[in-house]
Amino acid sequence: MNAKIAVPIENGNINRHFGKSAQFKIYTITEGKVTSSEIATPAETGHDAIGLWLVMNSINAVICSNIGPGSLGALAAAGIYALAGVEGPADAAIEKFIAGELTATTEPTCGGHGHSNCC
């Protein structure tokens, strides 16, 4: 598996709000191992800005906590695979993902704030 995976972070943990994340940790996975990682900051926050930033950075997948149906749809349309409902340290989530042990969903995990395109 070769991929670039972005995880929205706050203090090393997965940020609970995808669309409001000011930082992402980007992992490069080569042949089943993390070969590099970096913390990157999008120029803007918000669902559309982050989605475009992910595409421009050649991200293949996102591991996140809460994400709404609008953001999930936009990522899917851009060819970015999203795994949601994950909490805790970002590094631990990546290791579980590589080992095939990550418990996650591909369904929206947010939408109860009075609008459908949240987190």
Side-chain angles (χ1 to χ4, degrees):
M1 160 187 44
N2 297 327
K4 282 180 76 175
I5 301 173
V7 181
I9 60 167
E10 184 173 44
N11 299 320
N13 290 313
I14 298 172
N15 188 322
R16 294 188 49 82
H17 300 283
F18 171 80
K20 296 178 182 176
S21 187
Q23 290 188 319
F24 285 76
K25 191 160 185 183
I26 299 175
Y27 299 85
T28 300
I29 313 294
T30 306
E31 297 180 15
K33 295 184 181 188
V34 175
T35 54
S36 69
S37 67
E38 66 177 306
I39 295 176
T41 303
E44 299 178 54
T45 60
H47 309 103
D48 294 336
I50 289 173
L52 179 59
W53 180 80
L54 293 169
V55 168
M56 292 179 72
N57 283 279
S58 303
I59 301 300
N60 305 103
V62 170
I63 295 174
C64 60
S65 179
N66 293 315
I67 189 168
S71 292
L72 269 180
L75 291 177
I80 299 173
Y81 184 70
L83 292 169
V86 183
E87 296 185 10
D91 291 346
I94 286 294
E95 291 303 321
K96 286 181 180 178
F97 173 78
I98 291 170
E101 300 169 354
L102 185 66
T103 301
T105 182
T106 56
E107 299 296 319
T109 53
C110 188
H113 305 291
H115 52 90
S116 64
N117 189 14
C118 66
C119 301

